[in-house]
Amino acid sequence: MQGFTQKIVQMMKSERLFASQGGPIILSQIENEYGSESKALGAAGHAYINWAAKMAVGLNTGVPWVMCKEDDAPDPVINACNGFYCDAFSPNKPYKPTLWTEAWSGWFTEFGGAIHQRPVQDLAFAVARFIQKGGSYVNYYMYHGGTNFGRSAGGPFITTSYDYDAPIDEYGLIREPKYGHLKELHRAIKLCERALVSSDPRVTSLGTYQQAHVFSSGKRSCAAFLSNYHTTSAARVMFNNMHYNLPPWSISILPDCRNVVFNTARVGVQTSHMQMLPTGSELFSWETYVEDISSLEDSSRITSRGLLEQINVTRDSSDYLWYLTSVDISPSEVFLQNGQKPSLTVQSAGHGLHVFINGQFSGSAFGTRDNRQITFIGPVNLRAGTNRISLLSIAVGLPNIGLHYETWKTGILGPVILNGLNQGNKDLTWQKWSYQVGLKGEAMNLVSPHGASSVDWIQESLASNQGQPLKWHKAYFDAPRGNEPLALDMNSMGKGQVWINGQSIGRYWMAYAKGDCSRCSYAGTFRPTKCQLGCGQPTQRWYNIPRSWLKPMKNMLVVFEELGGDLSKISLVKRSITRVCADAYEHHPAIEDYHTENHGESAMLHQANVHLRCAPGHSISAIKFASFGTPSGTCGSFQKGTCHAPNTHSSIEKKCIGHESCMITISSSNFGPDPCPNMLKKLAVDAVCSAISTVIQPNSKE
């Protein structure tokens, strides 16, 4: 531990990266969410935390050290908060700043589970709550989603995608409105900076569920946060002799204690709709190699009386471990005459299992993240004489949180029982078992160009033997033109792993998502089960392919499929912003409208604008919907209300068609006569983004 920490710190110091050296690093963290483990270990855990803190501080980085979720962090280490909300958190000493090291922007995904979304209105509300209570620092987890390439996903059962509903998605694209709304929040908080760092908040009640947090230090340094904690009702409150409207579950930020520049529930930025589109790049020259399971016992080097724990045997060198044994069946067995097959029961600690009898596939069983243990019960086709029983146990990631990993079990631990023999049941648990780590294809490194050339691949009809398990497939493709992020659509396959030019893009599994996708409201305390997507669909259908891994021509794709699938439907797709929407009220508070006069007084223009922006290289090609008045619905399903300005559509077409971006002022004067005076109106726009086509002149360089 000390050697590793010293190594990392020295690497940072040698590049002069710490703020004390003039670099950008202002904080360092030692340990991560160790608090619950520390408590469980008692005195030993507490002693370790003290040792780790002293060791880290002794490295003299010149910047503070933090420990998150560690209530007993010793001075001078600062204990910090991780969570969906941290406004109730206080550090363990009054002289330590209040730090939020992980503001959770979403939640991770597990195979067989739904996709979790955290509404940006709630995330902004949580951050504003933290700042109004005197919070000093917020760090998002995650701000940029990512990909668990290779077998790096933990959990177990965590998906290859670690998108996390982050403001910048797994593919590096900006997720709107989450990115833009948080950017506006940060700008609003920065406008309050002088007051925030000069005073502690003074809290006053504005109603049963409403409060004002006021930071003031002198005449021209005043900032206020007006909050409404009610989850369903808006509130009209009086503050500083002025009225303010607060939506449910929201906070308004007033950098001068008068003008609202931001409300957490009122989103004024665009919504971007992403789609996976065909690239036109075909997969060609499909060939197949069938994993050889006929001679597993011959190559096995490990034998044992009884069953061994999987990770102790594989040392995580592979997801796969073969458990091999045999059973002798007498010709006098009744089932050989009456056709009633015996059944095999296999109990496993997880995470997946494929059963083969005499080289023939007999069935599978899989656990879940909540219940890793599995029991396979199924009929088996035995014959008189010696029968080979081959059980392929599959791991789906190592544990990533908890205590005493060495006690976590994976693999077939038994019992393994054959039922329906003349003698009744035969327990195979404690007989001689042989073990084979990994697959033949892994040992031959079929995923690399060199290894792939070492075996005879079979050219076969794409439609044949789709259901046969344990097959390696190889194809080639040329890199698609353009610069959009790429992914592999694996919807037609079952479960396995994929490699591009020898690099693993991760585990894939078309496990169908279970959950409740029927409701989602930004208001009220967020939990991962609250806003779910994708129920009844594969948890992860698309798998990220970094363009940096590709060659211009003949990239090699290798797929190992455990269960069987339709190769002809695997396709290369690109992630694109296909439509952008606006949905904002007139007089929406905007930071652009806030400015400070020469004499120090602040002023506010009450004029709302919305910006529509396609991705670079794309422009607005059509306006699918536009209404200024009382439209309803959301992006993709807007509807006109009883109040509608008829010129809205034509006005926005003139302003936006053919442009990568356009700015629209939300004002009656922009759309003809006011359709409903004395009524609060809003603008809803749904616009299509298309690639800008370029004409290449003859003999010109592309």
Side-chain angles (χ1 to χ4, degrees):
M1 170 73 174
Q2 183 168 358
F4 175 79
T5 309
Q6 286 174 331
K7 173 77 172 176
I8 298 298
V9 167
Q10 192 51 51
M11 288 170 67
M12 302 299 105
K13 282 185 174 181
S14 65
E15 300 293 335
R16 304 193 64 79
L17 291 177
F18 288 107
S20 55
Q21 302 172 293
I25 298 176
I26 61 170
L27 282 176
S28 299
Q29 180 182 319
I30 191 75
E31 267 303 341
N32 184 61
E33 297 189 345
Y34 188 73
S36 58
E37 282 69 34
S38 177
K39 287 186 178 75
L41 292 168
H46 184 68
Y48 166 71
I49 283 301
N50 285 336
W51 172 86
K54 185 177 180 181
M55 181 268 293
V57 171
L59 297 175
N60 298 316
T61 61
V63 303
W65 284 91
V66 300
M67 284 181 171
C68 57
K69 284 194 169 184
E70 190 65 54
D71 296 339
D72 60 348
D75 286 3
V77 175
I78 305 162
N79 63 307
C81 182
N82 291 355
F84 291 117
Y85 307 92
C86 280
D87 52 289
F89 168 78
S90 296
N92 58 21
K93 296 287 173 58
Y95 47 79
K96 292 181 180 180
T98 306
L99 309 181
W100 191 356
T101 36
E102 290 185 18
W104 297 336
S105 59
W107 199 241
F108 59 80
T109 311
E110 61 192 80
F111 284 118
I115 308 295
H116 305 288
Q117 284 194 313
R118 185 175 189 188
V120 69
Q121 299 95 320
D122 176 67
L123 180 55
F125 180 61
V127 172
R129 276 172 75 171
F130 179 74
I131 297 296
Q132 76 176 7
K133 290 286 290 289
S136 299
Y137 164 96
V138 179
N139 178 72
Y140 292 92
Y141 182 101
M142 310 287 292
Y143 204 75
H144 187 339
T147 306
N148 294 313
F149 293 116
R151 298 185 304 109
S152 60
F157 292 95
I158 301 300
T159 55
T160 297
S161 170
Y162 204 81
D163 181 81
Y164 217 83
D165 196 37
I168 303 173
D169 75 10
E170 173 182 6
Y171 296 88
L173 298 179
I174 288 175
R175 174 175 275 120
E176 294 286 23
K178 186 165 272 190
Y179 181 94
H181 195 54
L182 291 178
K183 183 178 179 180
E184 295 291 288
L185 166 68
H186 304 152
R187 291 175 67 190
I189 291 170
K190 289 293 282 183
L191 287 174
C192 305
E193 185 172 32
R194 180 185 292 184
L196 290 173
V197 300
S198 308
S199 60
D200 291 322
R202 188 178 76 256
V203 184
T204 57
S205 174
L206 302 177
T208 308
Y209 295 92
Q210 295 78 37
Q211 285 182 330
H213 288 70
V214 180
F215 297 80
S216 179
S217 62
K219 185 180 178 183
R220 290 181 181 170
S221 181
C222 183
F225 292 69
L226 309 184
S227 52
N228 178 14
Y229 299 108
H230 202 285
T231 57
T232 57
S233 298
R236 182 171 173 84
V237 299
M238 175 76 80
F239 173 73
N240 277 358
N241 298 316
M242 294 176 67
H243 285 103
Y244 296 88
N245 294 313
L246 301 175
W249 199 252
S250 78
I251 293 174
S252 286
I253 298 177
L254 294 65
D256 58 359
C257 287
R258 288 191 302 118
N259 292 295
V260 175
V261 298
F262 182 85
N263 178 270
T264 58
R266 288 181 176 153
V267 178
V269 299
Q270 75 177 29
T271 296
S272 299
H273 182 67
M274 309 281 191
Q275 269 189 296
M276 294 298 195
L277 301 177
T279 60
S281 186
E282 298 294 325
L283 299 167
F284 55 88
S285 303
W286 277 109
E287 293 181 307
T288 295
Y289 173 81
V290 180
E291 178 76 12
D292 178 18
I293 64 172
S294 61
S295 56
L296 287 168
E297 290 85 352
D298 301 338
S299 57
S300 172
R301 296 198 179 102
I302 305 169
T303 59
S304 170
R305 187 72 59 181
L307 298 161
L308 300 177
E309 196 277 335
Q310 180 168 342
I311 305 301
N312 277 340
V313 178
T314 65
R315 298 293 176 186
D316 194 40
S317 60
S318 169
D319 279 356
Y320 303 101
L321 177 64
W322 285 102
Y323 290 71
L324 310 164
T325 193
S326 61
V327 61
D328 292 325
I329 295 298
S330 167
S332 63
E333 286 288 345
V334 173
F335 76 83
L336 294 171
Q337 279 76 45
N338 65 17
Q340 288 190 337
K341 294 179 182 179
S343 68
L344 183 68
T345 300
V346 182
Q347 290 204 11
S348 168
H351 308 133
L353 171 68
H354 300 311
V355 177
F356 295 83
I357 305 295
N358 297 320
Q360 297 299 306
F361 178 63
S362 290
S364 302
F366 298 99
T368 64
R369 185 169 172 271
D370 291 335
N371 186 12
R372 301 186 299 275
Q373 296 186 352
I374 48 180
T375 301
F376 170 87
I377 302 175
V380 288
N381 201 9
L382 301 177
R383 61 196 178 207
T386 301
N387 293 261
R388 289 180 292 116
I389 297 177
S390 308
L391 308 176
L392 182 60
S393 182
I394 309 145
V396 191
L398 298 175
N400 64 2
I401 189 166
L403 197 62
H404 289 301
Y405 288 168
E406 72 277 10
T407 65
W408 290 45
K409 305 297 183 186
T410 305
I412 301 162
L413 301 179
V416 178
I417 297 173
L418 201 54
N419 310 287
L421 304 179
N422 288 355
Q423 68 183 65
N425 300 337
K426 183 175 178 65
D427 192 339
L428 311 180
T429 308
W430 291 101
Q431 66 180 42
K432 180 184 172 185
W433 289 83
S434 301
Y435 297 86
Q436 176 66 47
V437 176
L439 305 165
K440 293 280 180 71
E442 289 178 304
M444 293 185 289
N445 199 21
L446 294 185
V447 303
S448 72
H450 177 72
S453 63
S454 66
V455 301
D456 293 325
W457 296 77
I458 305 164
Q459 285 191 346
E460 62 171 306
S461 162
L462 295 179
S464 67
N465 297 322
Q466 286 183 13
Q468 184 175 344
L470 306 191
K471 292 170 79 170
W472 298 82
H473 306 284
K474 174 169 67 77
Y476 295 91
F477 65 92
D478 296 334
R481 293 171 59 179
N483 59 5
E484 297 101 332
L486 301 176
L488 203 61
D489 185 348
M490 298 297 290
N491 195 40
S492 63
M493 301 304 286
K495 180 183 181 297
Q497 296 178 33
V498 189
W499 295 260
I500 305 282
N501 294 329
Q503 297 198 75
S504 173
I505 65 172
R507 303 183 183 99
Y508 71 88
W509 190 1
M510 296 306 108
Y512 282 74
K514 296 175 182 173
D516 180 4
C517 295
S518 62
R519 65 188 191 279
C520 179
S521 167
Y522 81 85
T525 303
F526 177 80
R527 291 293 177 260
T529 54
K530 189 178 178 187
C531 290
Q532 300 186 97
L533 286 178
C535 298
Q537 302 293 321
T539 299
Q540 186 177 353
R541 172 178 175 176
W542 295 287
Y543 293 80
N544 183 17
I545 302 175
R547 279 190 179 265
S548 60
W549 292 11
L550 301 184
K551 305 176 294 184
M553 309 282 286
K554 206 174 183 186
N555 296 279
M556 187 175 81
L557 167 71
V558 175
V559 177
F560 174 66
E561 172 58 54
E562 296 176 21
L563 299 166
D566 186 351
L567 298 173
S568 69
K569 290 188 172 66
I570 296 178
S571 65
L572 207 61
V573 296
K574 59 186 179 183
R575 187 164 172 84
S576 302
I577 298 172
T578 55
R579 64 202 309 167
V580 291
C581 295
D583 184 11
Y585 285 94
E586 60 180 343
H587 313 311
H588 177 87
I591 291 172
E592 290 88 350
D593 297 339
Y594 179 84
H595 61 280
T596 304
E597 307 286 358
N598 292 335
H599 48 76
E601 291 295 323
S602 56
M604 190 83 179
L605 287 171
H606 293 284
Q607 175 179 288
N609 298 307
V610 292
H611 298 256
L612 294 179
R613 183 181 298 277
C614 296
H618 293 69
S619 65
I620 296 170
S621 58
I623 304 298
K624 301 289 283 186
F625 180 91
S627 176
F628 176 67
T630 56
S632 60
T634 56
C635 185
S637 61
F638 287 130
Q639 291 182 316
K640 291 177 185 175
T642 53
C643 168
H644 166 69
N647 295 340
T648 312
H649 198 278
S650 59
S651 174
I652 291 175
E653 276 191 331
K654 285 178 190 172
K655 188 99 176 170
C656 299
I657 294 291
H659 298 284
E660 181 181 304
S661 66
C662 61
M663 186 177 79
I664 308 159
T665 300
I666 308 175
S667 166
S668 299
S669 60
N670 247 0
F671 310 114
D674 191 332
C676 38
N678 304 318
M679 181 182 286
L680 181 64
K681 295 170 284 295
K682 71 174 184 173
L683 175 68
V685 182
D686 188 339
V688 177
C689 293
S690 302
I692 300 171
S693 56
T694 55
V695 178
I696 301 172
Q697 299 299 327
N699 302 321
S700 70
K701 290 186 178 178
E702 189 176 337

